[in-house]
Amino acid sequence: MQPRTHVTLEDVARAADVSLATASRALNGMRVTPQLRDRVLAAAAQLAYTPNAHARALAGASHRTVGVICHDVTDPYFAAVAGGVMRVAGANDLLVMLASTFRDPEREIAYVSMLRAERAPAILLIGSGFEDARWERAMEAELKPYLDGGGRVAVVSRHRSLKLDSVLPENRAGAAAMARALLELGHRRFAVLSGPRALTTVTDRLGGFRDELAAAGVTLDPAAVVEGPFTRDGGYQAMTELLARGLDATCVFALTDVMAIGAYAALRDHGLSVPGDVSVAGFDDIPIVRDLTPPLTTVALPLQQLGEKAMEMALTENTGRRRRILRMAGEVVVRASTAKLGA
Amino acid sequence: MQPRTHVTLEDVARAADVSLATASRALNGMRVTPQLRDRVLAAAAQLAYTPNAHARALAGASHRTVGVICHDVTDPYFAAVAGGVMRVAGANDLLVMLASTFRDPEREIAYVSMLRAERAPAILLIGSGFEDARWERAMEAELKPYLDGGGRVAVVSRHRSLKLDSVLPENRAGAAAMARALLELGHRRFAVLSGPRALTTVTDRLGGFRDELAAAGVTLDPAAVVEGPFTRDGGYQAMTELLARGLDATCVFALTDVMAIGAYAALRDHGLSVPGDVSVAGFDDIPIVRDLTPPLTTVALPLQQLGEKAMEMALTENTGRRRRILRMAGEVVVRASTAKLGA
DNA sequence: CACGCTCCTGAATGCGCTTTCAGTAAGCGC
DNA sequence: GCGCTTACTGAAAGCGCATTCAGGAGCGTG
C-alpha cells in the first residue's frame, strides 16, 4: 500500500496539545488525568487515528492474532477443524487468520515464514504434512527458530517427524474399528479408495484397515486399492477406475468422507445403488454426510474438538520435557450406506 | 509472544563482517559484489535469520498479504468465493489471510481494524453487511481512513450503503428467473425459506421472487414465508415450522442452497419425498448440491468468479470517479428436485 | 511555614529495518 | 603515472510507537 499520509500518534498528541508519551499512555489505558485522557481520546477519534501495528509491535507490544494453516479451506474437514480453533481463540480474545495452501508446499512454507516474520504468537498446522525430505527440512528450518523465539506451534494430524505438540486422530484404530464393523455385516471382499501414499493419514488408515482384515483372515487385494487425491473428484475417479477394473467387492471403504461423496456419484452414474449393490463407508464424519442419500456410514472424528484442543495446546505452555500428544479416538457410526450382506 | 532473543539483521551483518546496509541490500537482491552477497546469504542461512516483518514494514517495505473477511468459513458458499480470491491472489504472488466473523459485528470490525493497523494492501469483505446503523457507522469509520491511506477495498454482495467497489450477484434477477422456471413447471402455490430480513441478499431474492410471481398473477402467502438463519439447521427448522403450519405449497424456494439442504432433511423426516410430494429449489449452486439426492434445482452463481473478480478489482486502481460495480448474473439450473406439477 | 513524598507529565531512547548520502576503491584514458 | 568517472560500501537518519528517566506540581505532615 502506498503509504500516503497516515495519521500518527504525533498528530494526535499535537492536536490534543500533550506530549507523545502522554498520548500513548492515554490511548493504552495507563494512569493519566481524566481530563487529559478525554482530550487525547477526542483528538484520536476526530482524526480517525489507528495505531500502526508494526510500529507498535516493534516497540514491544504483543500481537493477538494467531495463524492457522490448512490445505484447503474449501474442504469441509478443514473448515470444521478451523471452526473449532476459532471458537477457542475467540473465547481467549484472539483473532485468527486462516491460510490455505491448496496443497502447495512452497506456499505452506511461505505462510509459516510470514507468520514468523510477523511474530504471531502461535501457529497451527492442520492436516498431514508433505512427506518429502526437502519440505521437511525447510519446515524445520522455519519452525525451529520460531519456537526458540518463544512462538507456539501445535499441529493436527501432522507428520510425526516434526517433533511438535500434536492432536492426533486415531486413524489406525478408527480404520480397524471400521474393518470390524464391516466384517460383522458379513462383507469379505473389499475395495479401498485411497489418498496419496505420502500422507501418514493414508498410511495409518489403510494400514489399520488392512491389518484388521488380515487378523480376521481376509486379505485385501492390492488391485482393489485405488489411489486418488483427497477430493470429491478424486473419489469419483478412483471409484470409476475401480469399476473399470471390474469391481468384485461388496463394500468400498473411502479413506475420507469427501472421497466417498465422489464414489456415490460414480456409482450412481454406473447405475449401481448404495447399499443395494455396494456398501460404502467413509472416514471423518464431516457434517454433510448425514444429509447424503443414503446417509454415510463413517468413522466419526470430533472435528471441532480437534481444532479446539490444538488451540488450547498452543495457548498453554508445555512445561514438560517432551512434546505433548493428544490422541482423539474416532467412533464408527453405522448409517444406511452399509448393508448386511445377503440381507 | 515473549520476544526472547531474535536474530537480527545486525547479527547477520556481524557474522558476515559487512555493514548493516550491505547485509540489507544483499538480502533484498540489490547490486552487491557476488562474493559479499554469498557471505551474507550464508550467514543468514546459518543463523536462520528471518527479517522482522514489522521493522521492515515500518521502514517502508510493503506487504504482500491481503485480508479477506467472511461470515463463516464453514459455509460452502464463503469457502467457494474465498477459493476464487485465493486463486487470483496466488497468481499475483500475494498471500491471503482469511478471517471468519461468525456473524459477529464486533469481530468484523476488529478484523478490519487489525488489517488496517497492519497496513494490509487490500481488504475484501464477503457477504451481506449487517443492516444496523451502529455497525455501519463503525465500519465506515474504519474503512474511510483506510481508503484515504491508499488501502484497497472490494466487496462481494455487500450492503449498498457502503460506497465501495463491489461485485454483486444479481439476486433479484436470479430469483425472478427461478420464479419463472417454477411457474413454467406448473407450480402456483409456493413457500419460501427465508433468511434474516436485515440482509439485502434476503430482500433482493425474496423481492425478486415475489414480484415475478405477482407479475404472473400468483400471490405469495406471507404465512408461507418462514425466516431462519442462513444455515443448514436454519433451513431444517424453517421447513419444520412450515410443515407444522400445514404446508399447502407444491414447491419450496430456499433463499440459499444451505437452507435447502436442511429442508431436504426436514422433509425426509416427515416422510415427504422430493420432488414427489414437494419440489425444492435453492440459490447459489454450492458444489455439494449436485451430489444431493435428488440433485438440487438452483440459481447457479459463479462463486469462484465472484471472488476472483473482487480480488482483481482490489488489485487494479479505480481510475474513474465513481465506485465500480460488477454485476454477475445467476442462471437457473433445473435438476431433479423440482418436478412438473401433475407429472 | 518548610520539608518530603507521591503522582503525573514530557524528553529522550531504542525496537529492526530500508534508504539516502557521503566516502573509498577500482577502472579508464591520456 | 595522474586525474577523473564509476561502482560499491558504510555511517546515519528515520519509520511510529512504548517506555524509562528525570523533573515539576500538588499534597500532607511536623
Side-chain angles (χ1 to χ4, degrees), chain A residues 1-7 47-55 57-58 60 62-63 65-68 73-75 79-80 82-83 86-87 90 94-100 102 107 110-111 113-121 141-142 145-152 232 261-262 264-265 268 288 290-295 317, chain B residues 1-7 47-55 57-58 60 62-63 65-68 73-75 79-80 82-83 86-87 90 94-100 102 107 110-111 113-121 141-142 145-152 232 261-262 264-265 268 288 290-295 317:
Chain A
M1 161 165 139
Q2 303 302 343
R4 301 183 204 171
T5 56
H6 264 293
V7 177
L47 296 170
Y49 167 72
T50 313
N52 180 321
H54 299 300
L58 196 54
S62 71
H63 244 209
T65 308
V66 305
V68 177
V73 277
T74 270
D75 182 322
M86 293 179 182
R87 233 189 46 73
L94 290 168
L95 297 180
V96 359
M97 290 302 242
L98 183 58
S100 181
F102 293 111
R107 209 173 312 185
Y111 276 115
S113 178
M114 192 207 81
L115 256 6
R116 172 151 92 98
E118 292 202 343
R119 308 293 187 258
E142 287 292 337
Y146 176 70
L147 289 164
D148 289 346
R152 303 283 184 72
R232 185 267 188 202
I261 294 174
Y264 269 39
R268 187 181 55 227
I288 191 69
R290 259 158 281 197
D291 291 312
L292 258 23
T293 312
E317 191 158 11
Chain B
M1 161 163 140
Q2 303 301 343
R4 300 183 207 174
T5 57
H6 266 292
V7 178
L47 296 170
Y49 168 72
T50 311
N52 181 320
H54 298 301
L58 196 54
S62 71
H63 244 208
T65 307
V66 305
V68 177
V73 277
T74 269
D75 183 321
M86 294 181 183
R87 231 188 48 69
L94 291 167
L95 296 179
V96 2
M97 290 304 241
L98 183 59
S100 183
F102 294 110
R107 210 174 310 185
Y111 275 115
S113 176
M114 192 206 82
L115 256 8
R116 170 151 93 99
E118 292 200 345
R119 307 293 186 258
E142 287 292 337
Y146 176 70
L147 289 165
D148 288 346
R152 304 283 185 72
R232 185 266 188 204
I261 294 174
Y264 269 40
R268 188 180 56 229
I288 192 70
R290 260 158 281 199
D291 290 312
L292 257 27
T293 310
E317 191 157 8

Side-chain angles (χ1 to χ4, degrees), chain B residues 6-297:
Chain B
H6 266 292
V7 178
T8 72
L9 186 58
E10 194 181 347
D11 299 326
V12 175
R14 200 179 309 126
D17 194 29
V18 296
S19 78
L20 229 151
T22 305
S24 173
R25 279 188 283 252
L27 290 169
N28 289 309
M30 309 190 65
R31 292 201 63 77
V32 164
T33 319
Q35 167 198 1
L36 276 193
R37 166 198 308 276
D38 291 348
R39 242 167 53 207
V40 172
L41 260 36
Q46 162 75 23
L47 296 170
Y49 168 72
T50 311
N52 181 320
H54 298 301
R56 176 175 256 179
L58 196 54
S62 71
H63 244 208
R64 310 273 327 147
T65 307
V66 305
V68 177
I69 303 180
C70 70
H71 289 335
D72 186 357
V73 277
T74 269
D75 183 321
Y77 171 86
F78 294 109
V81 177
V85 171
M86 294 181 183
R87 231 188 48 69
V88 343
N92 284 277
D93 198 29
L94 291 167
L95 296 179
V96 2
M97 290 304 241
L98 183 59
S100 183
T101 65
F102 294 110
R103 301 183 168 77
D104 173 0
E106 300 282 331
R107 210 174 310 185
E108 176 151 26
I109 301 284
Y111 275 115
V112 172
S113 176
M114 192 206 82
L115 256 8
R116 170 151 93 99
E118 292 200 345
R119 307 293 186 258
I123 299 180
L124 302 193
L125 264 22
I126 304 182
S128 252
F130 304 91
E131 248 183 89
D132 165 342
R134 226 182 87 234
W135 172 85
E136 238 170 74
R137 265 200 314 274
M139 203 55 165
E140 207 136 20
E142 287 292 337
L143 256 21
K144 177 77 167 49
Y146 176 70
L147 289 165
D148 288 346
R152 304 283 185 72
V153 176
V155 138
V156 176
S157 81
R158 172 60 55 144
H159 192 285
R160 62 182 69 111
S161 78
L162 255 29
K163 302 270 177 275
L164 301 164
D165 287 349
S166 314
V167 177
L168 257 29
E170 301 208 325
N171 287 318
R172 179 164 265 282
M178 177 57 85
R180 255 172 281 131
L182 296 173
L183 286 168
E184 229 160 78
L185 288 172
H187 294 278
R188 291 297 178 270
R189 297 199 314 279
F190 297 94
V192 174
L193 269 25
S194 171
R197 277 177 208 281
L199 306 180
T200 52
T201 303
V202 171
T203 330
D204 291 347
R205 293 184 182 178
L206 185 55
F209 189 71
R210 191 200 321 257
D211 292 354
E212 191 69 18
L213 289 187
V218 175
T219 43
L220 182 60
D221 180 4
V225 178
V226 185
E227 192 171 325
F230 267 163
T231 61
R232 185 266 188 204
D233 291 348
Y236 185 95
Q237 279 167 24
M239 190 67 236
T240 303
E241 164 76 16
L242 218 42
L243 257 12
R245 287 188 194 172
L247 172 77
D248 79 333
T250 61
C251 180
V252 175
F253 176 40
L255 259 33
T256 263
D257 284 354
V258 170
M259 288 191 92
I261 294 174
Y264 269 40
L267 254 9
R268 188 180 56 229
D269 289 354
H270 278 72
L272 262 25
S273 95
V274 178
D277 298 310
V278 196
S279 285
V280 176
F283 205 119
D284 287 341
D285 199 29
I286 57 175
I288 192 70
V289 300
R290 260 158 281 199
D291 290 312
L292 257 27
T293 310
L296 183 69
T297 292

Side-chain angles (χ1 to χ4, degrees), chain A residues 90-133:
Chain A
N92 284 276
D93 197 30
L94 290 168
L95 297 180
V96 359
M97 290 302 242
L98 183 58
S100 181
T101 65
F102 293 111
R103 300 185 169 76
D104 173 1
E106 301 282 330
R107 209 173 312 185
E108 176 150 26
I109 301 284
Y111 276 115
V112 173
S113 178
M114 192 207 81
L115 256 6
R116 172 151 92 98
E118 292 202 343
R119 308 293 187 258
I123 299 179
L124 301 193
L125 264 21
I126 304 183
S128 250
F130 305 91
E131 251 185 87
D132 165 341

Side-chain angles (χ1 to χ4, degrees), chain A residues 61-329:
Chain A
S62 71
H63 244 209
R64 311 262 342 137
T65 308
V66 305
V68 177
I69 304 179
C70 70
H71 290 333
D72 185 357
V73 277
T74 270
D75 182 322
Y77 171 85
F78 293 110
V81 177
V85 171
M86 293 179 182
R87 233 189 46 73
V88 174
N92 284 276
D93 197 30
L94 290 168
L95 297 180
V96 359
M97 290 302 242
L98 183 58
S100 181
T101 65
F102 293 111
R103 300 185 169 76
D104 173 1
E106 301 282 330
R107 209 173 312 185
E108 176 150 26
I109 301 284
Y111 276 115
V112 173
S113 178
M114 192 207 81
L115 256 6
R116 172 151 92 98
E118 292 202 343
R119 308 293 187 258
I123 299 179
L124 301 193
L125 264 21
I126 304 183
S128 250
F130 305 91
E131 251 185 87
D132 165 341
R134 224 182 91 235
W135 171 85
E136 238 171 74
R137 265 200 314 274
M139 203 56 166
E140 209 138 19
E142 287 292 337
L143 257 20
K144 178 75 166 51
Y146 176 70
L147 289 164
D148 289 346
R152 303 283 184 72
V153 177
V155 139
V156 176
S157 82
R158 172 61 51 146
H159 192 285
R160 63 183 69 111
S161 78
L162 255 27
K163 302 272 177 275
L164 302 164
D165 288 349
S166 316
V167 176
L168 257 27
E170 300 208 325
N171 287 317
R172 178 166 265 283
M178 178 56 85
R180 253 172 283 130
L182 297 174
L183 285 167
E184 231 159 77
L185 289 172
H187 293 278
R188 292 296 178 271
R189 296 198 316 277
F190 296 94
V192 174
L193 268 25
S194 170
R197 277 178 209 281
L199 305 181
T200 51
T201 303
V202 171
T203 330
D204 291 347
R205 293 183 183 179
L206 185 55
F209 189 69
R210 192 200 321 260
D211 292 354
E212 192 70 16
L213 289 188
V218 175
T219 45
L220 182 62
D221 179 4
V225 178
V226 186
E227 195 170 324
F230 268 163
T231 62
R232 185 267 188 202
D233 291 348
Y236 185 94
Q237 278 167 25
M239 189 69 235
T240 303
E241 165 76 16
L242 219 43
L243 257 11
R245 286 189 194 172
L247 172 77
D248 79 333
T250 60
C251 180
V252 176
F253 177 40
L255 259 32
T256 264
D257 284 353
V258 171
M259 288 190 92
I261 294 174
Y264 269 39
L267 254 9
R268 187 181 55 227
D269 288 354
H270 277 74
L272 263 24
S273 93
V274 178
D277 297 310
V278 195
S279 286
V280 175
F283 205 119
D284 287 340
D285 199 29
I286 57 175
I288 191 69
V289 300
R290 259 158 281 197
D291 291 312
L292 258 23
T293 312
L296 184 68
T297 293
T298 191
V299 180
L301 251 28
L303 299 182
Q304 282 243 105
Q305 266 193 57
L306 253 33
E308 292 172 1
K309 295 298 180 189
M311 187 74 246
E312 282 169 12
M313 246 184 201
L315 251 29
T316 60
E317 191 158 11
N318 183 356
T319 51
R321 183 146 318 200
R322 312 175 54 92
R323 68 173 176 145
R324 291 171 289 182
I325 298 186
L326 181 62
R327 297 181 194 283
M328 307 274 283

